[in-house]
Amino acid sequence: MEFQMSAAQTLTLTEAGYVLNRTTAALNKAVDTGVIRARQRRVGSSIQRLLGPAEMRFLLVADRLEGDLTPAGRRRLYHAIRRLSVDAHHVALGEVVLDLHKIDADLKGRLRRLHELRQWVGAQTDRSEPLIKGTRIPAYMVAALARGQSVAEIVEDFPSLSRDQVEAAIDYAKAYPKRGRPYPARSLKRTLAEL
């Protein structure tokens, strides 16, 4: 499947954090300090920040050029990337032209993984907890177990799950953190066996 982020597509900061391997706090700081701009969407009584393809591309480029850009250079690069279409793969800063093909391929792979997570895990209804598809096992419970157990131990405790399902549940919880009371980090089976 060919997967590309469209110009209108946006990601929440937790989704973007998963894709970029950054914390939501770091992304909020980048927005708050004016490094990048976020779109906003009202969700109930709160405002949700969203990042588009230009912000995602810029942050990946900025990571790779960490010590090579001055603050003014970073701003110029960000504005140049914002002016690009998602189909353009070269950005010019004066005489310097950056090839974004590798950045775009990397971003495309990371976005594909985020899309795959939604195929492995899903909620039955808007109010129910996300389950690993094809099972009745909550994804957040499996992800919580990964804090205290290895993937192999989780598969041993839940033989109906594959290693891929467990890893997808762990990644899903990173991209879509659970709200409310967390699950325990050890399975009941292991806790009882240790007693």
Side-chain angles (χ1 to χ4, degrees):
M1 174 181 138
E2 191 66 22
F3 192 84
Q4 177 129 358
M5 192 168 184
S6 71
Q9 184 181 6
T10 57
L11 299 177
T12 66
L13 292 189
T14 56
E15 290 171 324
Y18 172 77
V19 169
L20 298 171
N21 197 25
R22 289 180 176 223
T23 65
T24 305
L27 293 175
N28 268 313
K29 182 178 179 182
V31 173
D32 291 342
T33 58
V35 172
I36 57 173
R37 294 182 189 158
R39 298 175 192 159
Q40 296 183 346
R41 170 175 63 192
R42 182 168 292 285
V43 178
S45 62
S46 63
I47 301 292
Q48 185 177 55
R49 289 176 163 179
L50 305 166
L51 299 184
E55 290 71 30
M56 304 289 284
R57 289 170 107 184
F58 169 75
L59 290 170
L60 283 177
V61 170
D63 283 350
R64 298 202 177 146
L65 298 174
E66 182 65 33
D68 298 328
L69 292 173
T70 64
R74 290 171 78 89
R75 285 190 297 277
R76 286 181 51 217
L77 177 60
Y78 176 54
H79 291 296
I81 289 175
R82 281 181 57 95
R83 288 190 295 271
L84 286 180
S85 75
V86 291
D87 299 335
H89 301 288
H90 293 90
V91 62
L93 285 175
E95 298 294 318
V96 177
V97 177
L98 296 174
D99 183 347
L100 300 178
H101 278 96
K102 286 178 106 176
I103 294 290
D104 292 339
D106 188 18
L107 182 58
K108 186 176 175 180
R110 294 175 187 207
L111 289 167
R112 183 180 302 114
R113 178 62 179 161
L114 181 66
H115 178 73
E116 289 170 356
L117 295 178
R118 296 181 196 134
Q119 304 305 309
W120 285 98
V121 177
Q124 302 297 342
T125 67
D126 289 343
R127 295 177 186 236
S128 71
E129 183 156 335
L131 303 177
I132 297 172
K133 287 193 178 170
T135 74
R136 292 180 175 257
I137 302 170
Y140 292 130
M141 180 186 70
V142 171
L145 294 176
R147 293 189 321 254
Q149 297 178 216
S150 69
V151 171
E153 289 173 328
I154 296 170
V155 171
E156 185 180 317
D157 290 350
F158 294 91
S160 64
L161 294 180
S162 70
R163 182 174 192 84
D164 289 340
Q165 287 174 309
V166 171
E167 289 171 352
I170 293 166
D171 284 350
Y172 184 88
K174 290 176 187 172
Y176 304 99
K178 179 179 177 7
R179 296 177 189 258
R181 181 174 287 177
Y183 280 104
R186 303 287 287 168
S187 71
L188 179 60
K189 180 179 180 178
R190 290 203 181 266
T191 302
L192 292 175
E194 290 167 2
L195 295 175

